[in-house]
Amino acid sequence: MPVLPSPASEAVAHARWAALRRGLWLLPLLASLLFVIGVLAWAYRADLAEREDRRTTLIADALSSEAQLQGMLGAEMAHVQDLARQLPRRARSAEGLLASPDVSEGLRRLWLSVTWLDDKNRILAHVPDQNALAGLLPGELADGPGLSAHLTQAMGVESLVVRYSPTLLLRRGIPWWLAHKYDMQLIDSSEQVIASLDQTPLRTDSPGRESYMVSVGGNMPGAFLELSLREAPPPFWRTLPLVLMGGFLGLMLVATQLLRRQVQRISRTEAAWRTEAAWRQAMEDSALVGLRARDAEGRILYVNRTFCSMVGLSAEQLVGLQPPMPYWPPDALDEVMLRHKRNLEGRAPRDGYEALWCHQDGRSLNVMVFESPLIDARGQQTGWMGSIIDITARKRLEERERHQAEAMAQQSRLTTLGEVASALAHQLNQPLTVIMGYNAGLQRMLLDAGYDNQAVLHALAQQGDQAAEAGRIVRRIREFLTRRAPQREACDLGAVARRAAALLQRDLQAADVQLQWALAPGLPLVFADPILLEQVLINLLRNAVDAIRSQVPTDRPEATGLGSIRITAQPSGQRFVRLDVEDSGPGLQGRTVKHLSAPFYSTKSDGMGMGLAICRSVIEVHHGGMDAGNSSLGGAGFSFTLPVFDAQLHEASLAEEDARASLESEGRT
Ligand code: ADP
């Protein structure tokens, strides 16, 4: 079974979502921070790689510089060895040394002095002599440091020592682009600077600058060549892109702050708007007036809860619908469509109009509709807003009042009629009694006179019986009209029906109507007044004959003999007997028994419209019921039920009647 979200959990989810949305302003800042961190990481890695490259280049440059120095020293050593091979042939004096071109060239290159030593290391000859060497010493010596190195070559027991300037060695041996890039120094094992490319011979320890030291060895044992980068590279966080990133982050902070303020302002406005919308919704839903907004084409844009309950459809089912609407009565669509068009054209009555609508469950409702223009924010009309009031209850009340007024009018006419009929019956009673008296006197006189024409005597007897019967009928009707209780007794419904049919024999024959009988055998007796019952049956049969007759074209009265009437009587359950009078006439055409038995309702030119009204009230007085519908013979079918005679009930009702009679007589006295 699907679990529906409870309103509480929905509220919590909504609050969480609102809090999340309130914090959305942080998102750009967080994204920027992530971006900056990414760029920093990338810059750091690039810086590391660059350092690695620089270090590799530094090592390669140091090694190649050392190789070049070694090469130069090797070449100088070769010159010294050449000189040593020449010297045994020379005079052991300074002139002798100077006579060798190697010496003068050496002094011009980087030699500082050449000394010839004997086996006891005593100087045999030494150049330069200050005077002799004027102009031979290289000018750079003046700038160079005072430290010097020497090359020694043995010549048997004697030896040759050549002093040279390591500074000159550096300046001449190192290519200019390396000298431009690096600060180079020759250092001995005790970290003493032997030579330097720069004027400052002291080693300056600068932590940012990278340096690399390589052992020279060979002809300069114990010496090291140190290369230091002239410029310390700036730390990666001081590079331009990162400075720009810093600026960007600062601007982002400012922008975020502005965004935050804006989001807060919007959130406050939104909350106020939501509260207002909730209030409005609550007001609209609690209103008893239905609200319906439509666009200019008549499409439903909005409905409130009252409107939905009025027509029995949900807002989802209604919104977006176009005419014809599901709540319009299906049998009056054309008329409602015309009214709808009139309303859309703005011609709806200002003080509202009444309409008949249908609820989804089929019941109809009366509504009062007031249309007013729907104006949007720009002041333009976009449709119509209708306020709808359900006036069904009011209408019903009005209808009931009208019915009551009609019923009262009819009641007073009935009372008058009852009084007239009662007076008439009273008046008729006397001549009938006189007729009976004359009849009885005449019969006696004829008998006394010995008159024996049996036909005449029989006719007279019949006349007397009929007059007595007429007197009884008049009396019963009078009693009924004066609201006396009917004279109920156990009676055979079949026999009563046959008597009524016998009384109408002539009419039935005149109309050539065939009478069919379907009386169930052993039909129980009913508890009723047989005279009133007879009148009911006479009325039903006469109506049936009239209905059959009404089908015969008036210009061809001879075309009769087509009609038939069927009288059916059978038990209805344990306690009732039912009698049906069906005919082959035109039928009731949808009219109900309630409709037909309304007093004074008649479709006949000479009809009074009281027949069925009296029949119905007679049956109801007998605790029965009357109904009408279609018959299988093609016409109308009238039926009534009457309670079965019950001896015990009969006695009880007799006792009741006695009690009532004694009460009435006591009241009178
Ligand atoms: P009346 O006979 O004076 O018209 P009733 O109360 O007996 O008054 O009948 C009322 C109306 O019911 C008749 O006018 C007739 O239209 C209709 N009606 C009664 N019985 C039948 C029937 N068997 N077939 C068709 N219509 C009938």
Side-chain angles (χ1 to χ4, degrees), residues 539 543-544 547 583 587-588 591 596 601-604 607-612 636 638:
N539 198 27
N543 275 347
D583 64 59
L588 301 179
R591 293 169 296 172
L596 298 170
Y601 172 79
S602 176
T603 55
K604 299 171 197 167
M608 192 174 167
M610 284 305 295
L612 285 177
F638 284 82

Side-chain angles (χ1 to χ4, degrees), residues 174-185:
I174 301 300
W176 66 269
W177 63 88
L178 284 178
H180 185 73
K181 194 171 170 191
Y182 301 108
D183 179 12
M184 292 196 196
Q185 290 178 330

Side-chain angles (χ1 to χ4, degrees), residues 459-474:
L460 278 176
Q462 280 289 314
Q463 190 185 44
D465 287 352
Q466 289 302 319
E469 177 72 15
R472 245 190 1 260
I473 291 169
V474 165

Side-chain angles (χ1 to χ4, degrees), residues 491-564:
C491 63
D492 179 355
L493 197 54
V496 175
R498 284 191 190 280
R499 225 169 30 238
L503 287 172
L504 284 180
Q505 192 67 33
R506 285 166 62 104
D507 296 75
L508 290 168
Q509 277 169 358
D512 208 1
V513 169
Q514 185 202 353
L515 196 60
Q516 302 169 9
W517 291 94
L519 304 178
L523 206 61
L525 299 176
V526 293
F527 188 47
D529 183 330
I531 305 276
L532 291 178
L533 223 51
E534 201 178 283
Q535 293 308 306
V536 169
L537 276 156
I538 287 172
N539 198 27
L540 292 182
L541 285 170
R542 185 165 286 142
N543 275 347
V545 172
D546 287 350
I548 291 167
R549 267 216 205 107
S550 73
Q551 275 187 312
V552 178
T554 43
D555 53 336
R556 288 195 306 130
E558 72 285 356
T560 53
L562 299 169
S564 52

